[in-house]
Amino acid sequence: MTDRNGIFAGEDPFAIARRWLAEAEATEPNDPNAIALATVDGEGMPDVRMVLLKEIGADRFTFYTNYGSAKAQEIEVTGKAAFVLHWKSLRRQVRVRGHVVRSDGAAADAYFASRSLQSRLGAWASQQSRPLESRGTLMAEVAKITARLGPRPPRPEFWGGYDIFPSQMEFWADGAFRLHDRYRWKRPAMEDEWEIQRLYP
């Protein structure tokens, strides 16, 4: 690809994604790591919501959630998800599709321990995605959890990470007159080499 240079330069899409995210951290006013995560339930009905991307690894993207949440239940059914990172300030986005694996070991423990105490207690108290009678009910549960677990609550078994291993990644940058730049990294299987193509806008 003789014309793939500048912000698109490089053969490793994860390195490009990390570079773009680092740039966004200096320009986006709030949550530059926010992703719109899409899943599908057992009946094929799609769903999407905003979550925070916590790591771009060498071969995966990681986020954390309650395993009882709707998104987690849908992931457990299909083992697949997609997301988009969009930065209005940079006029760029990254789209990812792939297979998802639960990550609830030492890395999840370490990330949970790094969160604020209030967030850790909130994770224990929230029965995510389930009906809630009132905010008062939630706050009462937080108080009970605080009294029971104290200042060092461990990671609950129902809360942890998911790793998304991409089969496809697309990098998009805004162009004048809607003549955008788009490049897609695609591979049939995880062990295969990436096929890189420029796409029409």
Side-chain angles (χ1 to χ4, degrees), residues 83-149:
F83 71 81
V84 61
L85 270 164
H86 176 256
W87 301 293
K88 191 175 180 65
S89 62
L90 294 180
R91 299 187 175 212
R92 298 182 208 167
Q93 69 179 23
V94 180
R95 296 171 60 203
V96 174
R97 304 170 73 196
H99 297 275
V100 188
V101 176
R102 188 185 285 203
S103 174
D104 56 3
D109 291 339
Y111 172 66
F112 187 80
S114 76
R115 303 176 85 209
S116 70
L117 175 60
Q118 292 80 3
S119 294
R120 283 177 281 155
L121 294 168
W124 271 96
S126 177
Q127 300 178 39
Q128 198 172 88
S129 300
R130 294 183 177 87
L132 174 63
E133 181 180 334
S134 68
R135 183 166 184 83
T137 301
L138 175 61
M139 299 314 293
E141 186 62 25
V142 171
K144 286 194 294 184
I145 291 293
T146 301
R148 181 162 63 89
L149 297 180

Short mmCIF file of all heavy atoms in Angstrom, two decimals, residues 83-149:
data_model
loop_
_atom_site.label_atom_id
_atom_site.label_comp_id
_atom_site.label_asym_id
_atom_site.label_seq_id
_atom_site.Cartn_x
_atom_site.Cartn_y
_atom_site.Cartn_z
N PHE A 83 -17.35 -3.26 18.17
CA PHE A 83 -17.41 -1.95 18.80
C PHE A 83 -16.82 -0.90 17.87
O PHE A 83 -16.14 -1.20 16.90
CB PHE A 83 -16.69 -1.94 20.16
CG PHE A 83 -15.19 -2.02 20.12
CD1 PHE A 83 -14.42 -0.90 19.87
CD2 PHE A 83 -14.54 -3.23 20.38
CE1 PHE A 83 -13.03 -0.98 19.85
CE2 PHE A 83 -13.16 -3.31 20.38
CZ PHE A 83 -12.40 -2.18 20.11
N VAL A 84 -17.13 0.34 18.20
CA VAL A 84 -16.53 1.48 17.50
C VAL A 84 -16.00 2.47 18.53
O VAL A 84 -16.65 2.75 19.54
CB VAL A 84 -17.53 2.15 16.53
CG1 VAL A 84 -18.74 2.69 17.27
CG2 VAL A 84 -16.85 3.26 15.74
N LEU A 85 -14.79 2.93 18.29
CA LEU A 85 -14.19 4.06 19.00
C LEU A 85 -14.33 5.27 18.09
O LEU A 85 -13.87 5.22 16.94
CB LEU A 85 -12.70 3.82 19.24
CG LEU A 85 -12.20 3.12 20.49
CD1 LEU A 85 -10.76 2.67 20.26
CD2 LEU A 85 -12.27 4.03 21.70
N HIS A 86 -14.97 6.33 18.54
CA HIS A 86 -15.13 7.52 17.71
C HIS A 86 -14.64 8.74 18.46
O HIS A 86 -15.02 8.96 19.61
CB HIS A 86 -16.60 7.71 17.32
CG HIS A 86 -16.84 8.97 16.55
ND1 HIS A 86 -17.40 10.09 17.11
CD2 HIS A 86 -16.54 9.30 15.27
CE1 HIS A 86 -17.46 11.05 16.19
NE2 HIS A 86 -16.95 10.60 15.08
N TRP A 87 -13.77 9.50 17.79
CA TRP A 87 -13.22 10.72 18.39
C TRP A 87 -13.62 11.91 17.55
O TRP A 87 -13.05 12.15 16.48
CB TRP A 87 -11.71 10.62 18.52
CG TRP A 87 -11.26 9.46 19.34
CD1 TRP A 87 -11.45 9.29 20.68
CD2 TRP A 87 -10.53 8.31 18.89
NE1 TRP A 87 -10.89 8.11 21.09
CE2 TRP A 87 -10.32 7.49 20.02
CE3 TRP A 87 -10.03 7.91 17.66
CZ2 TRP A 87 -9.63 6.28 19.93
CZ3 TRP A 87 -9.36 6.73 17.56
CH2 TRP A 87 -9.16 5.92 18.70
N LYS A 88 -14.58 12.69 18.04
CA LYS A 88 -15.05 13.85 17.31
C LYS A 88 -13.95 14.89 17.13
O LYS A 88 -13.84 15.53 16.08
CB LYS A 88 -16.24 14.47 18.05
CG LYS A 88 -16.99 15.53 17.27
CD LYS A 88 -18.22 15.98 18.03
CE LYS A 88 -18.99 17.06 17.26
NZ LYS A 88 -19.56 16.55 16.00
N SER A 89 -13.10 15.05 18.16
CA SER A 89 -12.04 16.05 18.08
C SER A 89 -11.00 15.71 17.01
O SER A 89 -10.43 16.61 16.39
CB SER A 89 -11.37 16.20 19.45
OG SER A 89 -10.76 14.98 19.84
N LEU A 90 -10.75 14.42 16.80
CA LEU A 90 -9.77 14.00 15.80
C LEU A 90 -10.40 13.70 14.44
O LEU A 90 -9.69 13.54 13.45
CB LEU A 90 -9.03 12.73 16.27
CG LEU A 90 -8.12 12.85 17.50
CD1 LEU A 90 -7.50 11.50 17.81
CD2 LEU A 90 -7.05 13.90 17.27
N ARG A 91 -11.73 13.56 14.43
CA ARG A 91 -12.45 13.16 13.22
C ARG A 91 -11.93 11.82 12.71
O ARG A 91 -11.64 11.63 11.55
CB ARG A 91 -12.33 14.22 12.12
CG ARG A 91 -12.92 15.55 12.53
CD ARG A 91 -12.93 16.53 11.39
NE ARG A 91 -13.59 17.76 11.77
CZ ARG A 91 -14.29 18.53 10.94
NH1 ARG A 91 -14.41 18.18 9.68
NH2 ARG A 91 -14.86 19.63 11.37
N ARG A 92 -11.84 10.88 13.66
CA ARG A 92 -11.39 9.52 13.33
C ARG A 92 -12.24 8.51 14.08
O ARG A 92 -12.85 8.83 15.10
CB ARG A 92 -9.93 9.31 13.74
CG ARG A 92 -8.92 10.19 13.08
CD ARG A 92 -7.53 9.82 13.56
NE ARG A 92 -6.62 10.96 13.51
CZ ARG A 92 -5.45 11.01 14.09
NH1 ARG A 92 -5.01 9.95 14.79
NH2 ARG A 92 -4.68 12.07 13.99
N GLN A 93 -12.21 7.28 13.59
CA GLN A 93 -12.85 6.19 14.32
C GLN A 93 -12.16 4.88 14.00
O GLN A 93 -11.51 4.73 12.97
CB GLN A 93 -14.34 6.10 14.01
CG GLN A 93 -14.69 5.64 12.62
CD GLN A 93 -16.20 5.55 12.42
OE1 GLN A 93 -16.98 6.19 13.11
NE2 GLN A 93 -16.61 4.76 11.45
N VAL A 94 -12.31 3.94 14.93
CA VAL A 94 -11.81 2.58 14.76
C VAL A 94 -12.98 1.63 14.98
O VAL A 94 -13.69 1.74 15.99
CB VAL A 94 -10.69 2.26 15.78
CG1 VAL A 94 -10.19 0.82 15.59
CG2 VAL A 94 -9.55 3.25 15.67
N ARG A 95 -13.18 0.73 14.03
CA ARG A 95 -14.23 -0.29 14.16
C ARG A 95 -13.58 -1.66 14.31
O ARG A 95 -12.60 -1.97 13.63
CB ARG A 95 -15.14 -0.29 12.93
CG ARG A 95 -15.92 0.99 12.72
CD ARG A 95 -16.62 0.99 11.38
NE ARG A 95 -17.55 -0.13 11.27
CZ ARG A 95 -17.97 -0.63 10.09
NH1 ARG A 95 -17.51 -0.16 8.96
NH2 ARG A 95 -18.83 -1.62 10.08
N VAL A 96 -14.14 -2.47 15.21
CA VAL A 96 -13.57 -3.79 15.51
C VAL A 96 -14.68 -4.82 15.57
O VAL A 96 -15.75 -4.56 16.15
CB VAL A 96 -12.81 -3.76 16.86
CG1 VAL A 96 -12.35 -5.16 17.25
CG2 VAL A 96 -11.63 -2.80 16.80
N ARG A 97 -14.44 -5.99 14.98
CA ARG A 97 -15.35 -7.13 15.08
C ARG A 97 -14.51 -8.34 15.45
O ARG A 97 -13.40 -8.52 14.93
CB ARG A 97 -16.06 -7.41 13.75
CG ARG A 97 -16.83 -6.24 13.18
CD ARG A 97 -17.28 -6.52 11.77
NE ARG A 97 -18.38 -7.48 11.76
CZ ARG A 97 -18.78 -8.14 10.67
NH1 ARG A 97 -18.14 -7.98 9.52
NH2 ARG A 97 -19.79 -8.96 10.73
N GLY A 98 -15.04 -9.20 16.34
CA GLY A 98 -14.25 -10.37 16.68
C GLY A 98 -14.89 -11.30 17.67
O GLY A 98 -16.06 -11.15 18.04
N HIS A 99 -14.08 -12.25 18.11
CA HIS A 99 -14.51 -13.25 19.07
C HIS A 99 -14.14 -12.78 20.49
O HIS A 99 -13.13 -12.10 20.68
CB HIS A 99 -13.87 -14.60 18.76
CG HIS A 99 -14.28 -15.13 17.43
ND1 HIS A 99 -15.42 -15.86 17.25
CD2 HIS A 99 -13.70 -15.03 16.20
CE1 HIS A 99 -15.54 -16.19 15.97
NE2 HIS A 99 -14.51 -15.69 15.32
N VAL A 100 -14.94 -13.17 21.46
CA VAL A 100 -14.79 -12.66 22.82
C VAL A 100 -14.56 -13.82 23.79
O VAL A 100 -15.24 -14.84 23.71
CB VAL A 100 -16.03 -11.86 23.25
CG1 VAL A 100 -15.78 -11.17 24.59
CG2 VAL A 100 -16.40 -10.83 22.19
N VAL A 101 -13.61 -13.64 24.69
CA VAL A 101 -13.28 -14.63 25.71
C VAL A 101 -13.29 -13.95 27.06
O VAL A 101 -12.77 -12.84 27.22
CB VAL A 101 -11.89 -15.25 25.44
CG1 VAL A 101 -11.51 -16.22 26.55
CG2 VAL A 101 -11.88 -15.95 24.09
N ARG A 102 -13.87 -14.60 28.06
CA ARG A 102 -13.90 -14.06 29.42
C ARG A 102 -12.49 -14.01 29.99
O ARG A 102 -11.69 -14.91 29.78
CB ARG A 102 -14.79 -14.92 30.30
CG ARG A 102 -15.04 -14.32 31.67
CD ARG A 102 -15.83 -15.23 32.58
NE ARG A 102 -17.24 -15.29 32.25
CZ ARG A 102 -18.19 -15.64 33.11
NH1 ARG A 102 -17.87 -15.99 34.35
NH2 ARG A 102 -19.45 -15.68 32.74
N SER A 103 -12.19 -12.93 30.70
CA SER A 103 -10.88 -12.73 31.33
C SER A 103 -11.11 -12.41 32.79
O SER A 103 -11.35 -11.26 33.16
CB SER A 103 -10.13 -11.59 30.64
OG SER A 103 -8.92 -11.31 31.31
N ASP A 104 -11.08 -13.42 33.65
CA ASP A 104 -11.41 -13.20 35.06
C ASP A 104 -10.33 -13.71 36.01
O ASP A 104 -10.60 -14.13 37.11
CB ASP A 104 -12.76 -13.84 35.40
CG ASP A 104 -12.81 -15.33 35.08
OD1 ASP A 104 -11.77 -15.87 34.64
OD2 ASP A 104 -13.87 -15.94 35.28
N GLY A 105 -9.09 -13.61 35.57
CA GLY A 105 -7.98 -14.05 36.40
C GLY A 105 -7.25 -12.91 37.05
O GLY A 105 -7.85 -11.92 37.51
N ALA A 106 -5.92 -13.01 37.08
CA ALA A 106 -5.09 -12.04 37.79
C ALA A 106 -5.23 -10.64 37.21
O ALA A 106 -5.20 -9.65 37.96
CB ALA A 106 -3.63 -12.49 37.74
N ALA A 107 -5.37 -10.52 35.89
CA ALA A 107 -5.49 -9.20 35.28
C ALA A 107 -6.77 -8.50 35.75
O ALA A 107 -6.77 -7.30 36.04
CB ALA A 107 -5.48 -9.31 33.76
N ALA A 108 -7.86 -9.27 35.85
CA ALA A 108 -9.12 -8.70 36.34
C ALA A 108 -8.99 -8.30 37.80
O ALA A 108 -9.50 -7.24 38.22
CB ALA A 108 -10.26 -9.69 36.14
N ASP A 109 -8.32 -9.13 38.59
CA ASP A 109 -8.11 -8.80 40.01
C ASP A 109 -7.33 -7.49 40.14
O ASP A 109 -7.67 -6.62 40.95
CB ASP A 109 -7.33 -9.92 40.71
CG ASP A 109 -8.14 -11.20 40.87
OD1 ASP A 109 -9.38 -11.12 40.81
OD2 ASP A 109 -7.52 -12.25 41.05
N ALA A 110 -6.27 -7.36 39.34
CA ALA A 110 -5.43 -6.17 39.42
C ALA A 110 -6.20 -4.92 39.00
O ALA A 110 -6.09 -3.88 39.64
CB ALA A 110 -4.19 -6.36 38.55
N TYR A 111 -6.98 -5.04 37.92
CA TYR A 111 -7.74 -3.86 37.49
C TYR A 111 -8.79 -3.49 38.54
O TYR A 111 -8.95 -2.30 38.85
CB TYR A 111 -8.40 -4.08 36.13
CG TYR A 111 -9.32 -2.93 35.81
CD1 TYR A 111 -8.80 -1.66 35.60
CD2 TYR A 111 -10.71 -3.10 35.79
CE1 TYR A 111 -9.63 -0.58 35.37
CE2 TYR A 111 -11.53 -2.02 35.57
CZ TYR A 111 -11.00 -0.76 35.35
OH TYR A 111 -11.83 0.30 35.15
N PHE A 112 -9.49 -4.48 39.08
CA PHE A 112 -10.50 -4.18 40.08
C PHE A 112 -9.87 -3.46 41.28
O PHE A 112 -10.42 -2.48 41.79
CB PHE A 112 -11.19 -5.46 40.53
CG PHE A 112 -12.37 -5.23 41.44
CD1 PHE A 112 -13.60 -4.86 40.92
CD2 PHE A 112 -12.25 -5.37 42.82
CE1 PHE A 112 -14.69 -4.62 41.76
CE2 PHE A 112 -13.33 -5.15 43.66
CZ PHE A 112 -14.56 -4.77 43.13
N ALA A 113 -8.71 -3.93 41.71
CA ALA A 113 -8.03 -3.32 42.86
C ALA A 113 -7.60 -1.89 42.58
O ALA A 113 -7.46 -1.08 43.50
CB ALA A 113 -6.83 -4.17 43.26
N SER A 114 -7.39 -1.55 41.30
CA SER A 114 -6.95 -0.20 40.94
C SER A 114 -8.10 0.81 40.92
O SER A 114 -7.85 2.02 40.89
CB SER A 114 -6.28 -0.22 39.56
OG SER A 114 -7.25 -0.32 38.51
N ARG A 115 -9.33 0.34 40.93
CA ARG A 115 -10.47 1.24 40.88
C ARG A 115 -10.68 1.94 42.23
O ARG A 115 -10.20 1.46 43.26
CB ARG A 115 -11.74 0.47 40.51
CG ARG A 115 -11.64 -0.29 39.20
CD ARG A 115 -12.89 -1.11 38.95
NE ARG A 115 -13.92 -0.29 38.32
CZ ARG A 115 -15.23 -0.50 38.46
NH1 ARG A 115 -15.66 -1.47 39.24
NH2 ARG A 115 -16.09 0.27 37.83
N SER A 116 -11.41 3.03 42.20
CA SER A 116 -11.70 3.73 43.45
C SER A 116 -12.53 2.82 44.36
O SER A 116 -13.24 1.91 43.89
CB SER A 116 -12.48 5.01 43.18
OG SER A 116 -13.80 4.72 42.75
N LEU A 117 -12.46 3.06 45.66
CA LEU A 117 -13.22 2.26 46.61
C LEU A 117 -14.72 2.34 46.31
O LEU A 117 -15.42 1.32 46.36
CB LEU A 117 -12.94 2.73 48.04
CG LEU A 117 -13.78 2.06 49.14
CD1 LEU A 117 -13.54 0.56 49.16
CD2 LEU A 117 -13.45 2.69 50.50
N GLN A 118 -15.20 3.52 45.98
CA GLN A 118 -16.62 3.69 45.70
C GLN A 118 -17.04 2.85 44.50
O GLN A 118 -18.13 2.25 44.49
CB GLN A 118 -16.94 5.17 45.46
CG GLN A 118 -16.81 6.06 46.69
CD GLN A 118 -15.36 6.45 46.99
OE1 GLN A 118 -14.44 6.10 46.25
NE2 GLN A 118 -15.17 7.17 48.09
N SER A 119 -16.20 2.79 43.48
CA SER A 119 -16.52 1.99 42.29
C SER A 119 -16.52 0.50 42.61
O SER A 119 -17.35 -0.25 42.10
CB SER A 119 -15.52 2.29 41.17
OG SER A 119 -15.66 3.62 40.71
N ARG A 120 -15.58 0.08 43.45
CA ARG A 120 -15.54 -1.34 43.82
C ARG A 120 -16.77 -1.73 44.64
O ARG A 120 -17.37 -2.78 44.41
CB ARG A 120 -14.26 -1.63 44.61
CG ARG A 120 -13.01 -1.74 43.73
CD ARG A 120 -11.76 -1.95 44.55
NE ARG A 120 -11.30 -0.69 45.13
CZ ARG A 120 -10.56 -0.59 46.22
NH1 ARG A 120 -10.22 -1.69 46.90
NH2 ARG A 120 -10.16 0.58 46.67
N LEU A 121 -17.17 -0.86 45.56
CA LEU A 121 -18.36 -1.15 46.35
C LEU A 121 -19.61 -1.11 45.46
O LEU A 121 -20.53 -1.92 45.63
CB LEU A 121 -18.48 -0.14 47.49
CG LEU A 121 -17.39 -0.24 48.56
CD1 LEU A 121 -17.44 0.98 49.48
CD2 LEU A 121 -17.51 -1.53 49.36
N GLY A 122 -19.63 -0.19 44.51
CA GLY A 122 -20.75 -0.12 43.59
C GLY A 122 -20.87 -1.36 42.73
O GLY A 122 -21.99 -1.82 42.43
N ALA A 123 -19.74 -1.93 42.34
CA ALA A 123 -19.77 -3.16 41.56
C ALA A 123 -20.39 -4.30 42.35
O ALA A 123 -21.15 -5.12 41.82
CB ALA A 123 -18.35 -3.54 41.12
N TRP A 124 -20.08 -4.36 43.64
CA TRP A 124 -20.68 -5.39 44.50
C TRP A 124 -22.18 -5.16 44.66
O TRP A 124 -22.97 -6.12 44.68
CB TRP A 124 -20.02 -5.35 45.88
CG TRP A 124 -18.81 -6.22 46.02
CD1 TRP A 124 -17.50 -5.84 45.90
CD2 TRP A 124 -18.79 -7.62 46.30
NE1 TRP A 124 -16.67 -6.91 46.09
CE2 TRP A 124 -17.43 -8.02 46.34
CE3 TRP A 124 -19.79 -8.57 46.53
CZ2 TRP A 124 -17.05 -9.33 46.59
CZ3 TRP A 124 -19.40 -9.88 46.79
CH2 TRP A 124 -18.05 -10.25 46.82
N ALA A 125 -22.60 -3.90 44.78
CA ALA A 125 -23.99 -3.60 45.10
C ALA A 125 -24.93 -3.70 43.92
O ALA A 125 -26.13 -3.95 44.08
CB ALA A 125 -24.08 -2.19 45.71
N SER A 126 -24.42 -3.50 42.71
CA SER A 126 -25.29 -3.43 41.54
C SER A 126 -25.60 -4.80 40.94
O SER A 126 -24.69 -5.56 40.61
CB SER A 126 -24.65 -2.56 40.46
OG SER A 126 -25.44 -2.55 39.30
N GLN A 127 -26.86 -5.10 40.80
CA GLN A 127 -27.31 -6.28 40.05
C GLN A 127 -27.59 -5.80 38.62
O GLN A 127 -28.73 -5.67 38.20
CB GLN A 127 -28.56 -6.88 40.68
CG GLN A 127 -28.35 -7.34 42.11
CD GLN A 127 -29.62 -7.90 42.71
OE1 GLN A 127 -30.39 -8.60 42.05
NE2 GLN A 127 -29.86 -7.59 43.98
N GLN A 128 -26.54 -5.53 37.91
CA GLN A 128 -26.61 -4.80 36.64
C GLN A 128 -27.63 -5.38 35.66
O GLN A 128 -27.71 -6.59 35.47
CB GLN A 128 -25.23 -4.77 35.98
CG GLN A 128 -25.08 -3.72 34.91
CD GLN A 128 -23.65 -3.62 34.43
OE1 GLN A 128 -23.23 -4.32 33.51
NE2 GLN A 128 -22.87 -2.75 35.06
N SER A 129 -28.40 -4.48 35.07
CA SER A 129 -29.42 -4.77 34.05
C SER A 129 -30.73 -5.32 34.62
O SER A 129 -31.69 -5.50 33.89
CB SER A 129 -28.90 -5.72 32.96
OG SER A 129 -27.79 -5.17 32.29
N ARG A 130 -30.76 -5.60 35.94
CA ARG A 130 -31.99 -6.11 36.53
C ARG A 130 -32.87 -4.95 37.02
O ARG A 130 -32.36 -3.86 37.28
CB ARG A 130 -31.68 -7.06 37.69
CG ARG A 130 -30.97 -8.34 37.25
CD ARG A 130 -30.75 -9.28 38.43
NE ARG A 130 -30.14 -10.52 38.01
CZ ARG A 130 -28.83 -10.73 37.89
NH1 ARG A 130 -27.99 -9.75 38.18
NH2 ARG A 130 -28.35 -11.89 37.50
N PRO A 131 -34.19 -5.17 37.14
CA PRO A 131 -35.08 -4.10 37.61
C PRO A 131 -34.68 -3.63 39.01
O PRO A 131 -34.29 -4.42 39.86
CB PRO A 131 -36.46 -4.77 37.63
CG PRO A 131 -36.35 -5.88 36.63
CD PRO A 131 -34.93 -6.38 36.74
N LEU A 132 -34.81 -2.30 39.23
CA LEU A 132 -34.45 -1.67 40.51
C LEU A 132 -35.64 -0.85 40.98
O LEU A 132 -36.14 0.00 40.25
CB LEU A 132 -33.22 -0.78 40.32
CG LEU A 132 -32.76 0.07 41.51
CD1 LEU A 132 -32.33 -0.81 42.68
CD2 LEU A 132 -31.63 1.02 41.09
N GLU A 133 -36.05 -1.08 42.23
CA GLU A 133 -37.23 -0.41 42.77
C GLU A 133 -37.02 1.10 42.89
O GLU A 133 -37.89 1.89 42.54
CB GLU A 133 -37.57 -0.99 44.14
CG GLU A 133 -38.80 -0.39 44.80
CD GLU A 133 -39.09 -1.01 46.15
OE1 GLU A 133 -38.70 -2.17 46.38
OE2 GLU A 133 -39.73 -0.32 46.96
N SER A 134 -35.85 1.52 43.39
CA SER A 134 -35.58 2.95 43.56
C SER A 134 -34.09 3.16 43.77
O SER A 134 -33.35 2.21 44.07
CB SER A 134 -36.35 3.50 44.77
OG SER A 134 -35.81 2.95 45.98
N ARG A 135 -33.66 4.41 43.62
CA ARG A 135 -32.25 4.72 43.91
C ARG A 135 -31.94 4.49 45.38
O ARG A 135 -30.84 4.07 45.74
CB ARG A 135 -31.92 6.15 43.50
CG ARG A 135 -30.47 6.49 43.70
CD ARG A 135 -30.03 7.77 43.00
NE ARG A 135 -28.61 7.98 43.16
CZ ARG A 135 -27.66 7.43 42.41
NH1 ARG A 135 -28.00 6.62 41.42
NH2 ARG A 135 -26.37 7.67 42.63
N GLY A 136 -32.93 4.73 46.24
CA GLY A 136 -32.75 4.49 47.66
C GLY A 136 -32.39 3.04 47.95
O GLY A 136 -31.57 2.75 48.83
N THR A 137 -33.02 2.13 47.21
CA THR A 137 -32.71 0.70 47.37
C THR A 137 -31.26 0.42 47.03
O THR A 137 -30.56 -0.32 47.73
CB THR A 137 -33.64 -0.14 46.47
OG1 THR A 137 -34.99 0.10 46.82
CG2 THR A 137 -33.33 -1.62 46.60
N LEU A 138 -30.79 1.04 45.95
CA LEU A 138 -29.39 0.86 45.54
C LEU A 138 -28.44 1.41 46.60
O LEU A 138 -27.46 0.75 46.97
CB LEU A 138 -29.15 1.55 44.20
CG LEU A 138 -27.70 1.56 43.69
CD1 LEU A 138 -27.18 0.14 43.49
CD2 LEU A 138 -27.61 2.36 42.39
N MET A 139 -28.72 2.61 47.08
CA MET A 139 -27.82 3.22 48.05
C MET A 139 -27.82 2.44 49.37
O MET A 139 -26.78 2.36 50.04
CB MET A 139 -28.23 4.68 48.29
CG MET A 139 -28.16 5.55 47.04
SD MET A 139 -26.63 5.34 46.08
CE MET A 139 -25.43 6.03 47.22
N ALA A 140 -28.95 1.87 49.74
CA ALA A 140 -29.01 1.04 50.95
C ALA A 140 -28.14 -0.19 50.78
O ALA A 140 -27.46 -0.63 51.72
CB ALA A 140 -30.45 0.65 51.25
N GLU A 141 -28.14 -0.76 49.58
CA GLU A 141 -27.30 -1.93 49.31
C GLU A 141 -25.82 -1.56 49.36
O GLU A 141 -25.00 -2.33 49.88
CB GLU A 141 -27.66 -2.52 47.94
CG GLU A 141 -26.95 -3.82 47.61
CD GLU A 141 -27.28 -4.96 48.58
OE1 GLU A 141 -28.37 -4.93 49.21
OE2 GLU A 141 -26.46 -5.89 48.71
N VAL A 142 -25.48 -0.39 48.83
CA VAL A 142 -24.09 0.08 48.92
C VAL A 142 -23.67 0.20 50.39
O VAL A 142 -22.56 -0.21 50.76
CB VAL A 142 -23.92 1.43 48.19
CG1 VAL A 142 -22.53 2.02 48.48
CG2 VAL A 142 -24.11 1.27 46.69
N ALA A 143 -24.54 0.74 51.22
CA ALA A 143 -24.23 0.88 52.65
C ALA A 143 -24.01 -0.47 53.31
O ALA A 143 -23.08 -0.66 54.11
CB ALA A 143 -25.34 1.65 53.34
N LYS A 144 -24.85 -1.44 52.98
CA LYS A 144 -24.70 -2.79 53.55
C LYS A 144 -23.39 -3.44 53.11
O LYS A 144 -22.68 -4.06 53.91
CB LYS A 144 -25.89 -3.66 53.15
CG LYS A 144 -27.17 -3.34 53.89
CD LYS A 144 -28.22 -4.42 53.72
CE LYS A 144 -28.70 -4.53 52.30
NZ LYS A 144 -29.80 -5.51 52.14
N ILE A 145 -23.07 -3.29 51.83
CA ILE A 145 -21.83 -3.86 51.30
C ILE A 145 -20.62 -3.20 51.95
O ILE A 145 -19.64 -3.87 52.31
CB ILE A 145 -21.78 -3.70 49.76
CG1 ILE A 145 -22.83 -4.58 49.08
CG2 ILE A 145 -20.39 -3.99 49.22
CD1 ILE A 145 -22.59 -6.06 49.21
N THR A 146 -20.70 -1.89 52.13
CA THR A 146 -19.60 -1.16 52.76
C THR A 146 -19.35 -1.67 54.18
O THR A 146 -18.21 -1.90 54.59
CB THR A 146 -19.90 0.34 52.78
OG1 THR A 146 -20.09 0.81 51.44
CG2 THR A 146 -18.78 1.12 53.43
N ALA A 147 -20.43 -1.87 54.93
CA ALA A 147 -20.30 -2.36 56.30
C ALA A 147 -19.77 -3.79 56.33
O ALA A 147 -19.01 -4.16 57.23
CB ALA A 147 -21.66 -2.29 57.00
N ARG A 148 -20.15 -4.58 55.35
CA ARG A 148 -19.75 -5.99 55.34
C ARG A 148 -18.33 -6.21 54.84
O ARG A 148 -17.58 -7.03 55.39
CB ARG A 148 -20.73 -6.80 54.49
CG ARG A 148 -20.42 -8.29 54.43
CD ARG A 148 -21.60 -9.09 53.96
NE ARG A 148 -22.04 -8.78 52.62
CZ ARG A 148 -21.57 -9.39 51.52
NH1 ARG A 148 -20.65 -10.34 51.64
NH2 ARG A 148 -22.02 -9.07 50.34
N LEU A 149 -17.92 -5.47 53.79
CA LEU A 149 -16.64 -5.74 53.15
C LEU A 149 -15.53 -4.79 53.55
O LEU A 149 -14.35 -5.10 53.36
CB LEU A 149 -16.80 -5.72 51.62
CG LEU A 149 -17.73 -6.78 51.03
CD1 LEU A 149 -17.80 -6.64 49.53
CD2 LEU A 149 -17.27 -8.19 51.41
#
